[in-house]
Coordinates of all heavy atoms in Angstrom, one line a residue:
A1 N -57.0 17.0 -19.4 CA -58.3 17.1 -18.8 C -58.3 18.2 -17.7 O -59.3 18.9 -17.6 CB -58.6 15.8 -18.1
M2 N -57.2 18.4 -17.0 CA -57.2 19.5 -16.0 C -57.4 20.8 -16.6 O -58.3 21.6 -16.1 CB -55.8 19.4 -15.3 CG -55.8 19.9 -13.9 SD -54.3 19.5 -13.1 CE -53.3 21.0 -13.5
A3 N -56.7 21.2 -17.7 CA -56.9 22.5 -18.3 C -58.2 22.6 -19.0 O -58.9 23.7 -18.9 CB -55.8 22.7 -19.3
A4 N -58.7 21.6 -19.6 CA -60.0 21.7 -20.3 C -61.1 21.8 -19.4 O -62.1 22.5 -19.7 CB -60.2 20.4 -21.2
Q5 N -61.0 21.3 -18.2 CA -62.1 21.4 -17.2 C -61.8 22.5 -16.2 O -62.6 22.7 -15.3 CB -62.2 20.0 -16.4 CG -62.6 18.9 -17.3 CD -62.7 17.6 -16.6 OE1 -62.8 17.5 -15.4 NE2 -62.5 16.5 -17.3
N6 N -60.8 23.3 -16.4 CA -60.4 24.4 -15.5 C -60.4 24.0 -14.0 O -61.0 24.6 -13.2 CB -61.4 25.5 -15.7 CG -60.9 26.9 -15.2 OD1 -59.7 27.1 -15.2 ND2 -61.8 27.8 -14.9
K7 N -59.6 23.0 -13.8 CA -59.4 22.5 -12.4 C -58.0 22.7 -11.9 O -57.1 22.9 -12.7 CB -59.7 20.9 -12.3 CG -61.1 20.6 -12.8 CD -62.1 21.1 -11.9 CE -63.5 20.6 -12.3 NZ -64.6 21.0 -11.5
K8 N -57.8 22.8 -10.6 CA -56.5 23.1 -10.0 C -55.6 21.9 -10.0 O -54.4 22.0 -10.1 CB -56.7 23.6 -8.5 CG -57.4 24.9 -8.4 CD -57.6 25.3 -7.0 CE -58.5 26.5 -6.8 NZ -58.8 26.8 -5.5
N9 N -56.2 20.7 -9.9 CA -55.3 19.5 -9.9 C -56.1 18.3 -10.6 O -57.3 18.4 -10.7 CB -54.8 19.1 -8.5 CG -56.0 18.8 -7.6 OD1 -56.7 17.9 -7.8 ND2 -56.0 19.6 -6.5
I10 N -55.4 17.2 -10.9 CA -56.1 16.1 -11.6 C -57.1 15.4 -10.8 O -58.1 14.8 -11.3 CB -55.1 15.1 -12.1 CG1 -54.3 14.5 -11.0 CG2 -54.2 15.7 -13.2 CD1 -53.4 13.3 -11.4
F11 N -57.0 15.5 -9.5 CA -58.0 14.8 -8.6 C -59.3 15.5 -8.5 O -60.3 15.0 -8.0 CB -57.4 14.7 -7.2 CG -56.2 13.8 -7.2 CD1 -54.9 14.3 -7.2 CD2 -56.3 12.4 -7.3 CE1 -53.8 13.5 -7.2 CE2 -55.2 11.6 -7.3 CZ -53.9 12.2 -7.3
E12 N -59.4 16.7 -9.1 CA -60.7 17.4 -9.2 C -61.4 17.2 -10.5 O -62.5 17.6 -10.7 CB -60.5 18.9 -9.0 CG -60.0 19.3 -7.6 CD -59.7 20.8 -7.5 OE1 -59.9 21.5 -8.5 OE2 -59.3 21.2 -6.4
T13 N -60.7 16.5 -11.5 CA -61.3 16.2 -12.8 C -62.3 15.1 -12.7 O -62.4 14.3 -11.8 CB -60.2 15.9 -13.8 OG1 -59.6 14.6 -13.4 CG2 -59.2 17.0 -13.9
D14 N -63.1 15.0 -13.8 CA -64.1 13.9 -13.9 C -63.5 12.5 -14.0 O -64.2 11.5 -13.8 CB -65.1 14.2 -15.0 CG -64.4 14.2 -16.4 OD1 -63.2 14.0 -16.5 OD2 -65.1 14.3 -17.4
L15 N -62.2 12.4 -14.2 CA -61.5 11.1 -14.2 C -61.3 10.5 -12.8 O -61.4 9.3 -12.6 CB -60.2 11.2 -14.9 CG -60.1 11.7 -16.3 CD1 -58.7 11.9 -16.8 CD2 -60.8 10.6 -17.2
F16 N -61.1 11.4 -11.8 CA -60.8 11.0 -10.5 C -62.0 11.2 -9.5 O -62.1 10.6 -8.4 CB -59.6 11.7 -9.9 CG -58.3 11.2 -10.6 CD1 -57.8 11.8 -11.7 CD2 -57.6 10.2 -10.0 CE1 -56.6 11.4 -12.3 CE2 -56.4 9.7 -10.6 CZ -55.9 10.3 -11.7
Q17 N -62.8 12.2 -9.8 CA -63.9 12.6 -8.9 C -64.8 11.5 -8.4 O -65.2 11.4 -7.3 CB -64.6 13.8 -9.4 CG -65.3 14.6 -8.4 CD -64.4 15.0 -7.2 OE1 -63.3 15.5 -7.5 NE2 -64.9 14.8 -6.0
P18 N -65.2 10.6 -9.3 CA -66.1 9.5 -8.9 C -65.5 8.7 -7.7 O -66.2 8.3 -6.8 CB -66.3 8.6 -10.1 CG -66.1 9.6 -11.2 CD -65.0 10.5 -10.8
I19 N -64.2 8.4 -7.7 CA -63.6 7.7 -6.7 C -63.4 8.6 -5.4 O -63.7 8.2 -4.3 CB -62.2 7.1 -7.1 CG1 -62.4 6.2 -8.3 CG2 -61.5 6.4 -6.0 CD1 -61.1 5.8 -9.0
M20 N -62.9 9.8 -5.6 CA -62.7 10.7 -4.5 C -64.0 11.0 -3.7 O -64.0 11.1 -2.5 CB -62.1 12.1 -5.0 CG -60.8 12.0 -5.6 SD -59.5 11.9 -4.4 CE -59.4 13.5 -3.8
S21 N -65.1 11.0 -4.4 CA -66.4 11.4 -3.8 C -66.9 10.3 -2.9 O -67.7 10.6 -2.0 CB -67.4 11.8 -4.8 OG -67.8 10.6 -5.6
I22 N -66.5 9.1 -3.0 CA -67.1 8.0 -2.2 C -66.2 7.7 -1.0 O -66.6 7.0 -0.1 CB -67.3 6.7 -3.0 CG1 -66.0 6.1 -3.5 CG2 -68.3 6.9 -4.0 CD1 -66.1 4.7 -3.9
L23 N -65.0 8.3 -0.9 CA -64.1 8.1 0.2 C -64.6 8.8 1.4 O -65.2 9.8 1.3 CB -62.7 8.5 -0.2 CG -62.0 7.7 -1.3 CD1 -60.6 8.3 -1.7 CD2 -61.8 6.3 -0.9
P24 N -64.3 8.2 2.6 CA -64.7 8.8 3.8 C -64.2 10.3 4.0 O -63.0 10.5 3.6 CB -64.2 7.9 4.9 CG -63.9 6.6 4.3 CD -63.6 6.9 2.8
H25 N -65.0 11.2 4.4 CA -64.6 12.6 4.5 C -63.5 12.8 5.6 O -62.8 13.8 5.5 CB -65.8 13.5 4.8 CG -66.8 13.4 3.7 ND1 -66.5 14.0 2.4 CD2 -68.0 12.9 3.6 CE1 -67.6 13.8 1.6 NE2 -68.5 13.1 2.3
D26 N -63.4 11.9 6.5 CA -62.4 12.1 7.6 C -61.0 11.7 7.2 O -60.0 11.9 8.0 CB -62.8 11.4 8.9 CG -63.0 9.9 8.7 OD1 -63.2 9.5 7.5 OD2 -63.0 9.2 9.7
L27 N -60.8 11.2 6.0 CA -59.5 10.8 5.5 C -58.7 12.1 5.1 O -59.3 13.0 4.6 CB -59.5 9.9 4.3 CG -59.8 8.5 4.4 CD1 -59.9 7.8 3.1 CD2 -58.7 7.8 5.3
R28 N -57.4 12.1 5.3 CA -56.6 13.2 4.9 C -56.6 13.3 3.4 O -56.8 12.2 2.7 CB -55.1 13.0 5.4 CG -55.0 13.1 6.9 CD -53.5 13.0 7.3 NE -52.9 11.9 6.5 CZ -51.6 11.6 6.6 NH1 -50.8 12.4 7.3 NH2 -51.1 10.6 5.9
E29 N -56.5 14.5 2.8 CA -56.5 14.7 1.4 C -55.4 13.8 0.7 O -55.7 13.2 -0.3 CB -56.3 16.1 1.1 CG -56.6 16.5 -0.4 CD -58.0 16.3 -0.8 OE1 -58.9 16.3 0.0 OE2 -58.2 16.2 -2.1
R30 N -54.3 13.8 1.3 CA -53.1 13.0 0.7 C -53.5 11.5 0.6 O -53.3 10.9 -0.4 CB -51.9 13.2 1.6 CG -50.7 12.3 1.2 CD -49.5 12.5 2.2 NE -48.4 11.8 1.8 CZ -48.2 10.5 2.1 NH1 -49.0 9.8 2.8 NH2 -47.1 9.9 1.7
D31 N -54.1 11.0 1.7 CA -54.6 9.6 1.7 C -55.6 9.3 0.6 O -55.6 8.3 -0.1 CB -55.0 9.2 3.1 CG -53.9 9.2 4.1 OD1 -52.8 9.2 3.7 OD2 -54.3 9.2 5.3
K32 N -56.6 10.2 0.5 CA -57.6 10.1 -0.6 C -57.0 10.0 -1.9 O -57.4 9.2 -2.8 CB -58.6 11.3 -0.5 CG -59.5 11.2 0.6 CD -60.5 12.4 0.5 CE -61.5 12.5 1.6 NZ -62.4 13.6 1.5
R33 N -56.0 10.9 -2.2 CA -55.3 10.9 -3.5 C -54.5 9.6 -3.7 O -54.6 9.1 -4.9 CB -54.4 12.1 -3.6 CG -55.1 13.4 -3.6 CD -54.2 14.6 -3.7 NE -55.0 15.8 -3.8 CZ -54.4 17.0 -4.1 NH1 -53.1 17.1 -4.3 NH2 -55.2 18.0 -4.2
I34 N -53.9 9.1 -2.7 CA -53.2 7.8 -2.9 C -54.1 6.7 -3.2 O -53.9 5.9 -4.1 CB -52.3 7.5 -1.6 CG1 -51.2 8.5 -1.5 CG2 -51.8 6.1 -1.7 CD1 -50.4 8.4 -0.2
I35 N -55.2 6.6 -2.4 CA -56.2 5.5 -2.7 C -56.8 5.7 -4.1 O -56.9 4.7 -4.8 CB -57.3 5.6 -1.6 CG1 -56.7 5.2 -0.2 CG2 -58.5 4.7 -1.9 CD1 -57.6 5.5 1.0
T36 N -57.1 6.9 -4.5 CA -57.7 7.1 -5.8 C -56.7 6.7 -6.9 O -57.1 6.0 -7.8 CB -58.1 8.6 -5.9 OG1 -59.1 8.9 -4.9 CG2 -58.7 8.8 -7.3
D37 N -55.5 7.1 -6.8 CA -54.5 6.8 -7.8 C -54.2 5.3 -7.9 O -54.2 4.8 -9.0 CB -53.2 7.6 -7.5 CG -52.2 7.6 -8.6 OD1 -52.7 7.8 -9.8 OD2 -51.0 7.4 -8.4
H38 N -54.1 4.7 -6.7 CA -53.8 3.2 -6.7 C -55.0 2.5 -7.3 O -54.9 1.5 -8.0 CB -53.5 2.8 -5.3 CG -52.1 3.1 -4.9 ND1 -51.4 2.3 -4.1 CD2 -51.3 4.2 -5.1 CE1 -50.2 2.8 -3.9 NE2 -50.2 4.0 -4.5
S39 N -56.2 2.9 -7.0 CA -57.5 2.3 -7.4 C -57.5 2.3 -9.0 O -57.9 1.3 -9.6 CB -58.7 2.9 -6.9 OG -58.7 2.8 -5.5
R40 N -57.2 3.4 -9.5 CA -57.3 3.5 -11.0 C -56.2 2.6 -11.6 O -56.5 1.9 -12.6 CB -57.0 5.0 -11.4 CG -58.3 5.8 -11.2 CD -58.3 7.0 -12.0 NE -57.8 6.6 -13.3 CZ -57.8 7.3 -14.4 NH1 -58.2 8.5 -14.4 NH2 -57.4 6.9 -15.6
A41 N -55.0 2.6 -11.0 CA -53.9 1.8 -11.6 C -54.3 0.3 -11.5 O -54.1 -0.5 -12.4 CB -52.6 2.0 -10.8
V42 N -54.9 -0.1 -10.4 CA -55.4 -1.5 -10.2 C -56.4 -1.9 -11.2 O -56.3 -2.9 -11.8 CB -55.9 -1.7 -8.7 CG1 -56.7 -3.0 -8.6 CG2 -54.8 -1.7 -7.7
M43 N -57.3 -1.0 -11.5 CA -58.4 -1.2 -12.5 C -57.8 -1.5 -13.9 O -58.2 -2.4 -14.6 CB -59.4 -0.1 -12.5 CG -60.3 -0.1 -11.3 SD -61.6 1.1 -11.5 CE -60.9 2.5 -10.7
F44 N -56.8 -0.7 -14.2 CA -56.2 -0.8 -15.5 C -55.4 -2.2 -15.6 O -55.5 -2.9 -16.6 CB -55.2 0.3 -15.8 CG -55.9 1.6 -16.3 CD1 -55.9 2.7 -15.5 CD2 -56.6 1.6 -17.5 CE1 -56.5 3.8 -16.0 CE2 -57.2 2.7 -17.9 CZ -57.2 3.9 -17.2
L45 N -54.7 -2.5 -14.6 CA -53.9 -3.8 -14.6 C -54.8 -5.0 -14.6 O -54.6 -5.9 -15.4 CB -53.0 -3.9 -13.4 CG -51.8 -2.9 -13.4 CD1 -51.1 -2.9 -12.1 CD2 -50.8 -3.4 -14.5
V46 N -55.9 -4.9 -13.8 CA -56.8 -6.1 -13.8 C -57.5 -6.2 -15.1 O -57.7 -7.3 -15.6 CB -57.8 -5.9 -12.6 CG1 -59.0 -6.9 -12.7 CG2 -57.1 -6.1 -11.3
S47 N -57.9 -5.0 -15.7 CA -58.6 -5.1 -17.0 C -57.7 -5.6 -18.1 O -58.2 -6.2 -19.1 CB -59.1 -3.7 -17.4 OG -58.1 -2.9 -17.7
D48 N -56.4 -5.5 -17.9 CA -55.4 -6.1 -18.9 C -55.1 -7.6 -18.6 O -54.3 -8.2 -19.2 CB -54.1 -5.3 -18.8 CG -54.2 -4.0 -19.6 OD1 -55.1 -3.8 -20.4 OD2 -53.3 -3.2 -19.4
G49 N -55.8 -8.2 -17.6 CA -55.7 -9.6 -17.3 C -54.6 -9.9 -16.3 O -54.2 -11.1 -16.1
I50 N -54.0 -8.9 -15.7 CA -52.9 -9.1 -14.7 C -53.6 -9.6 -13.4 O -54.6 -9.1 -12.9 CB -52.1 -7.8 -14.4 CG1 -51.6 -7.3 -15.7 CG2 -51.0 -8.1 -13.4 CD1 -50.6 -8.1 -16.4
K51 N -53.0 -10.6 -12.8 CA -53.4 -11.2 -11.5 C -52.3 -11.0 -10.5 O -51.1 -11.1 -10.8 CB -53.8 -12.6 -11.6 CG -54.9 -12.9 -12.5 CD -55.2 -14.4 -12.7 CE -56.4 -14.5 -13.6 NZ -56.7 -15.9 -13.9
P52 N -52.7 -10.7 -9.2 CA -51.7 -10.6 -8.2 C -50.8 -11.9 -8.1 O -51.3 -13.0 -8.1 CB -52.5 -10.5 -6.9 CG -53.8 -10.0 -7.3 CD -54.0 -10.6 -8.7
S53 N -49.5 -11.7 -8.0 CA -48.6 -12.8 -8.0 C -47.3 -12.3 -7.4 O -47.1 -11.2 -7.0 CB -48.3 -13.4 -9.4 OG -47.6 -12.5 -10.2
Q54 N -46.3 -13.2 -7.4 CA -45.0 -12.9 -6.8 C -44.0 -12.4 -7.9 O -42.9 -12.0 -7.6 CB -44.4 -14.2 -6.2 CG -45.1 -14.8 -5.1 CD -44.9 -14.1 -3.8 OE1 -43.9 -13.4 -3.7 NE2 -45.8 -14.3 -2.8
E55 N -44.5 -12.4 -9.1 CA -43.6 -12.0 -10.2 C -44.1 -10.9 -11.1 O -45.3 -10.7 -11.3 CB -43.3 -13.3 -11.1 CG -42.8 -14.4 -10.4 CD -42.7 -15.7 -11.2 OE1 -43.1 -15.6 -12.4 OE2 -42.3 -16.7 -10.7
K56 N -43.2 -10.1 -11.6 CA -43.4 -9.1 -12.6 C -44.6 -8.2 -12.3 O -44.7 -7.6 -11.2 CB -43.4 -9.7 -14.0 CG -42.2 -10.4 -14.4 CD -42.3 -11.0 -15.8 CE -41.0 -11.8 -16.1 NZ -41.1 -12.3 -17.4
A57 N -45.5 -8.0 -13.3 CA -46.6 -7.1 -13.1 C -47.5 -7.5 -12.0 O -48.1 -6.7 -11.3 CB -47.4 -7.0 -14.4
G58 N -47.6 -8.8 -11.7 CA -48.4 -9.3 -10.6 C -47.9 -8.8 -9.3 O -48.7 -8.5 -8.4
S59 N -46.6 -8.6 -9.1 CA -46.1 -8.1 -7.8 C -46.4 -6.6 -7.7 O -46.6 -6.1 -6.6 CB -44.6 -8.4 -7.7 OG -43.9 -7.7 -8.6
I60 N -46.4 -5.9 -8.8 CA -46.7 -4.5 -8.8 C -48.2 -4.3 -8.4 O -48.5 -3.5 -7.6 CB -46.4 -3.8 -10.2 CG1 -44.9 -3.8 -10.4 CG2 -47.0 -2.4 -10.3 CD1 -44.5 -3.4 -11.8
L61 N -49.0 -5.2 -9.0 CA -50.5 -5.1 -8.7 C -50.7 -5.4 -7.2 O -51.4 -4.7 -6.5 CB -51.2 -6.2 -9.5 CG -52.7 -6.3 -9.2 CD1 -53.4 -5.0 -9.4 CD2 -53.3 -7.4 -10.1
R62 N -50.0 -6.4 -6.6 CA -50.1 -6.6 -5.2 C -49.7 -5.4 -4.4 O -50.4 -5.1 -3.4 CB -49.2 -7.8 -4.8 CG -49.8 -9.2 -5.0 CD -49.0 -10.3 -4.4 NE -48.1 -10.0 -3.3 CZ -46.8 -10.0 -3.3 NH1 -46.1 -10.4 -4.4 NH2 -46.1 -9.7 -2.3
R63 N -48.6 -4.7 -4.7 CA -48.2 -3.5 -4.0 C -49.2 -2.4 -4.1 O -49.5 -1.7 -3.2 CB -46.9 -3.1 -4.5 CG -45.7 -3.9 -4.0 CD -44.4 -3.4 -4.5 NE -43.3 -4.1 -3.9 CZ -42.1 -3.7 -4.0 NH1 -41.8 -2.5 -4.6 NH2 -41.1 -4.4 -3.4
L64 N -49.8 -2.3 -5.3 CA -50.8 -1.2 -5.5 C -52.0 -1.5 -4.7 O -52.7 -0.6 -4.2 CB -51.2 -1.1 -7.0 CG -50.1 -0.4 -7.9 CD1 -50.5 -0.6 -9.3 CD2 -50.0 1.0 -7.5
I65 N -52.4 -2.7 -4.5 CA -53.6 -3.1 -3.7 C -53.2 -2.9 -2.2 O -54.1 -2.4 -1.5 CB -54.0 -4.5 -4.0 CG1 -54.5 -4.7 -5.4 CG2 -55.0 -5.0 -3.0 CD1 -54.8 -6.1 -5.9
R66 N -52.1 -3.3 -1.8 CA -51.7 -3.3 -0.4 C -51.6 -1.8 0.1 O -51.9 -1.6 1.3 CB -50.3 -4.0 -0.3 CG -50.0 -4.4 1.2 CD -48.7 -5.1 1.3 NE -48.6 -6.2 0.4 CZ -47.4 -6.7 0.1 NH1 -46.3 -6.2 0.6 NH2 -47.4 -7.7 -0.8
G67 N -51.1 -0.9 -0.7 CA -50.9 0.5 -0.3 C -52.2 1.1 0.4 O -52.1 1.5 1.6
P68 N -53.3 1.1 -0.2 CA -54.5 1.7 0.4 C -55.0 0.9 1.6 O -55.7 1.5 2.5 CB -55.5 1.7 -0.7 CG -54.7 1.7 -2.0 CD -53.5 0.9 -1.6
V69 N -54.6 -0.4 1.7 CA -55.1 -1.2 2.9 C -54.7 -0.5 4.2 O -55.4 -0.5 5.2 CB -54.6 -2.6 2.8 CG1 -54.8 -3.4 4.1 CG2 -55.2 -3.3 1.6
F70 N -53.5 0.1 4.2 CA -53.0 0.7 5.4 C -53.4 2.1 5.6 O -53.2 2.7 6.7 CB -51.4 0.7 5.4 CG -50.9 -0.7 5.3 CD1 -50.3 -1.3 4.2 CD2 -50.9 -1.6 6.5 CE1 -49.8 -2.5 4.1 CE2 -50.5 -2.8 6.4 CZ -49.9 -3.3 5.3
L71 N -54.1 2.7 4.6 CA -54.6 4.1 4.7 C -56.0 4.2 5.2 O -56.4 5.3 5.6 CB -54.4 4.8 3.4 CG -52.9 4.9 2.9 CD1 -52.9 5.5 1.5 CD2 -52.1 5.7 3.9
A72 N -56.8 3.2 4.9 CA -58.2 3.3 5.2 C -58.8 2.1 5.8 O -58.2 1.0 5.7 CB -58.9 3.6 3.9
D73 N -60.0 2.2 6.3 CA -60.8 1.1 6.9 C -61.5 0.5 5.7 O -62.5 0.9 5.2 CB -61.8 1.7 7.9 CG -62.8 0.6 8.4 OD1 -62.4 -0.6 8.3 OD2 -63.9 1.0 8.8
L74 N -60.9 -0.6 5.2 CA -61.4 -1.2 3.9 C -62.8 -1.8 4.0 O -63.5 -1.7 3.0 CB -60.3 -2.2 3.4 CG -59.1 -1.5 2.8 CD1 -58.2 -2.6 2.1 CD2 -59.5 -0.5 1.8
P75 N -63.2 -2.5 5.1 CA -64.5 -3.0 5.1 C -65.5 -1.8 4.9 O -66.5 -1.9 4.1 CB -64.7 -3.7 6.4 CG -63.3 -4.1 6.8 CD -62.4 -3.0 6.2
S76 N -65.3 -0.7 5.5 CA -66.2 0.4 5.4 C -66.1 1.0 4.0 O -67.1 1.4 3.4 CB -65.8 1.5 6.4 OG -66.3 2.7 6.1
L77 N -64.9 1.0 3.5 CA -64.7 1.6 2.1 C -65.4 0.7 1.1 O -66.0 1.2 0.2 CB -63.2 1.7 1.8 CG -62.8 2.8 0.9 CD1 -62.0 3.8 1.7 CD2 -61.9 2.2 -0.2
A78 N -65.3 -0.6 1.2 CA -65.9 -1.6 0.3 C -67.4 -1.4 0.3 O -68.1 -1.5 -0.7 CB -65.5 -3.0 0.6
A79 N -68.0 -1.3 1.5 CA -69.4 -1.2 1.6 C -69.9 0.1 0.9 O -70.9 0.2 0.2 CB -69.8 -1.2 3.1
T80 N -69.1 1.2 1.1 CA -69.5 2.5 0.5 C -69.4 2.4 -1.0 O -70.2 2.9 -1.7 CB -68.5 3.6 1.0 OG1 -68.6 3.7 2.4 CG2 -68.9 4.9 0.4
S81 N -68.3 1.7 -1.5 CA -68.1 1.6 -2.9 C -69.2 0.8 -3.6 O -69.7 1.1 -4.6 CB -66.8 0.9 -3.2 OG -65.7 1.7 -2.7
A82 N -69.6 -0.3 -2.9 CA -70.7 -1.2 -3.5 C -72.0 -0.4 -3.5 O -72.7 -0.5 -4.4 CB -70.7 -2.4 -2.7
S83 N -72.3 0.3 -2.4 CA -73.6 1.0 -2.3 C -73.7 2.1 -3.3 O -74.7 2.5 -3.7 CB -73.9 1.4 -0.9 OG -73.0 2.4 -0.5
S84 N -72.5 2.7 -3.6 CA -72.5 3.9 -4.5 C -72.6 3.4 -6.0 O -72.8 4.3 -6.9 CB -71.3 4.7 -4.3 OG -70.2 4.0 -4.9
G85 N -72.5 2.1 -6.3 CA -72.5 1.7 -7.6 C -71.2 1.7 -8.3 O -71.1 1.3 -9.5
L86 N -70.2 2.1 -7.7 CA -68.9 2.2 -8.3 C -68.3 0.8 -8.6 O -67.7 0.5 -9.6 CB -67.9 3.0 -7.4 CG -66.6 3.3 -8.1 CD1 -66.8 4.3 -9.2 CD2 -65.6 4.0 -7.1
I87 N -68.6 -0.1 -7.6 CA -68.1 -1.5 -7.8 C -69.4 -2.4 -8.1 O -70.3 -2.3 -7.3 CB -67.4 -2.0 -6.5 CG1 -66.2 -1.2 -6.3 CG2 -67.1 -3.5 -6.7 CD1 -65.5 -1.6 -5.0
K88 N -69.3 -3.1 -9.1 CA -70.5 -3.9 -9.5 C -70.1 -5.4 -9.6 O -69.1 -5.7 -9.9 CB -71.1 -3.5 -10.8 CG -71.7 -2.1 -10.7 CD -72.3 -1.6 -12.0 CE -72.8 -0.2 -11.8 NZ -73.4 0.3 -12.9

């Protein structure tokens, strides 16, 4: 996708841009990338029926969810996500 869209990195492609664009502008670029990457991974796991738990894939899902919690103000992020239509 990166080469086809003539972008410098994957976070500029149409796969990641919808998530990147709703994140607060005052976040560091590194933090935005982590939140975006974890969000996509969480969506794939949840769509496969994985639920947060203490075991196997569920524990990975928990860690992926927990990572961005420490990087951003989640109530603000959730409100932005809901109002942008990304989360329905």
